[in-house]
Amino acid sequence: MRRGKIRNLVRETTLSLDDLVQPIFVNETIESPIEISSMPGVYSFPLSEVVYEAKEIAELGILAVILFGVPAFKDAEGSSSYGETDVIQEAVRRIKAELGDELVVITDICMCEYTSHGHCGIVDFETKEILNDPTLEVLGKIAVSHAKAGADMVAPSGMMDGMVAAIRQALDMEGFENIPIMSYAAKFHSAFYGPFREAAESGYSFGDRSTYQMDPANSDEALREVTLDVAEGADIIMVKPALSYLDIIYRVKTEYAMPTAAYNVSGEYAMIKAAAANGWLDEKKAIYESLISIKRAGADIIITYFAKDAARMLK
C-alpha cells in the first residue's frame, strides 16, 4: 500500500476529467437512441434525447462535448448544414438552454455529413475535384450559424486550405470575435475512421479523401499545416487520429507550446472494445493506458468516445 502511494507521488503524467471531450452524434432521422454497431456503447441520439445525454455527461464531471450531425436531407451543396433550425443548430440551442455554461459545447464544422456525395466540400462533378475556395464560403456560414445558436467553440475538420482564416473572418464580421477555433490542423487520411462513417452516415460515393487529408507517412508536413492554421488564427490545434500519431502530437506540442488537442478516433475505440469483448485485453487498463499515452505525448485535450468510461473510472 505504501509503495503504491509513493508511486503516485512521483507520477509524471496524470489524466483528469478536465482533459476529456465526449463526442455526441445527433441524428435528425431517428426517434430513439440507436447503438452504433461498430462502436459498442456509443449511440446516435435524436434531437428529443440529446439533452438527456448532455446532462449525463455533465453529471459525470466531463467539461465539454463535440457535436456531429446527421440531417434528414442531403444534397450536393450540403445546404442542411447552416440553416437556423438544422440539426446541430437545434441541438446546440437545446443543450445550452438546459445546461447553460455547465457544459462547453463544441461543434464540428465540415460538410461530409451533409453532402449527398459524402465529401468535405463542394464538388466539380466533371473533374471529380473538391473545390477549395467555394467550400470556404460554406464553412464560414456553418460556423456563424453554430455561433448564433450558442456554440462555445467551433472545430473545422475538412482540411481545406485557408479554412481557419475564412471562418475567423466570417465569425468576426458577425460579432463573434470571442468564439475560439479548434482546428483539425493535422488530420491524416486514416483507416481508423471507418466506424465514424457509419455513425455520421458520411461515406463517400466516389474516390477518397486523400487529396485533402494528410499522408500518414508525413510528419514534417503536419508541422507545416499547423503553422498555416496558427498563422490564420487557430486558438487550439488538433492532431487526428491519436494513437498512431503520438509522435506528431509530441512534435506539435514541443514546437508550438500552445493548446493542443488529439482525437482518439472511432477505430481506436472499436479495436479496444472488440479485443476486450473477446477477453484479449483488460478493457479498463487498456482505456487508461491509451489515454495516458496521448496525454504523455503532449495533448491538453483528448476527444474520445471513452470519455464517459474514463470519467467513471477516474471517479
Side-chain angles (χ1 to χ4, degrees):
M1 179 67 71
R2 183 181 65 189
R3 288 181 180 177
K5 290 181 178 179
I6 293 172
R7 182 184 177 116
N8 290 346
L9 281 172
V10 298
R11 179 166 288 145
E12 298 173 14
T13 306
T14 57
L15 183 70
S16 81
L17 291 173
D18 294 349
D19 302 323
L20 306 176
V21 178
Q22 175 71 48
I24 303 179
F25 296 102
V26 191
N27 191 326
E28 207 171 27
T29 70
I30 60 177
E31 296 182 358
S32 60
I34 295 177
E35 187 173 26
I36 299 158
S37 62
S38 55
M39 300 174 68
V42 177
Y43 291 77
S44 290
F45 293 91
L47 277 168
S48 60
E49 298 280 344
V50 70
V51 169
Y52 300 117
E53 174 67 2
K55 278 185 176 180
E56 180 182 342
I57 291 165
E59 287 168 0
L60 285 168
I62 297 167
L63 301 184
V65 295
I66 184 166
L67 304 183
F68 299 89
V70 179
F73 172 75
K74 300 188 180 193
D75 60 19
E77 293 77 34
S79 61
S80 294
S81 61
Y82 49 78
E84 182 180 346
T85 59
D86 283 333
V87 59
I88 288 300
Q89 292 79 353
E90 187 61 28
V92 171
R93 200 172 289 113
R94 294 186 186 196
I95 293 171
K96 297 307 286 187
E98 187 69 28
L99 294 173
D101 292 335
E102 188 177 348
L103 196 64
V104 174
V105 176
I106 307 165
T107 57
D108 179 77
I109 305 292
C110 194
M111 294 178 64
C112 62
E113 301 104 311
Y114 304 92
T115 55
S116 52
H117 47 73
H119 280 284
C120 300
I122 302 296
V123 171
D124 181 329
F125 286 100
E126 289 188 7
T127 63
K128 295 293 191 294
E129 291 183 4
I130 311 303
L131 303 177
N132 190 91
D133 291 359
T135 300
L136 298 182
E137 182 179 354
V138 180
L139 296 179
K141 291 168 68 175
I142 298 171
V144 168
S145 71
H146 289 183
K148 286 181 176 178
D152 298 298
M153 184 187 302
V154 297
S157 62
M159 286 294 285
M160 298 294 121
D161 293 339
M163 67 181 184
V164 173
I167 289 170
R168 183 75 274 158
Q169 182 180 27
L171 289 170
D172 291 355
M173 287 179 64
E174 293 291 332
F176 295 110
E177 298 93 342
N178 294 324
I179 296 294
I181 298 173
M182 176 168 65
S183 178
Y184 290 64
K187 181 178 179 181
F188 289 84
H189 182 59
S190 172
F192 292 107
Y193 301 150
F196 176 92
R197 294 191 183 121
E198 176 194 350
E201 298 180 13
S202 61
Y204 31 80
S205 60
F206 64 88
D208 59 30
R209 295 179 181 145
S210 61
T211 58
Y212 48 96
Q213 293 177 355
M214 289 182 51
D215 184 342
N218 295 354
S219 61
D220 289 342
E221 182 188 1
L223 268 66
R224 293 195 295 272
E225 293 283 359
V226 170
T227 299
L228 291 170
D229 283 8
V230 171
E232 291 175 17
D235 301 284
I236 302 169
I237 46 182
M238 187 197 300
V239 176
K240 180 182 180 182
L243 293 177
S244 293
Y245 299 89
L246 296 175
D247 60 317
I248 308 298
I249 298 169
Y250 178 79
R251 289 192 67 185
V252 166
K253 185 63 177 180
T254 301
E255 179 76 19
Y256 295 93
M258 66 180 289
T260 302
Y263 202 136
N264 182 209
V265 299
S266 59
E268 295 168 340
Y269 174 91
M271 287 192 302
I272 289 176
K273 283 290 185 178
N278 280 284
W280 300 334
L281 289 177
D282 182 307
E283 182 173 340
K284 289 184 178 181
K285 289 182 179 179
I287 291 170
Y288 176 78
E289 190 173 340
S290 297
L291 296 179
I292 204 71
S293 74
I294 299 168
K295 184 78 182 292
R296 190 181 66 244
D300 305 291
I301 299 167
I302 304 173
I303 301 169
T304 177
Y305 302 97
F306 287 124
K308 289 167 66 176
D309 291 335
R312 294 185 184 102
M313 289 162 51
L314 291 169
K315 283 191 171 187

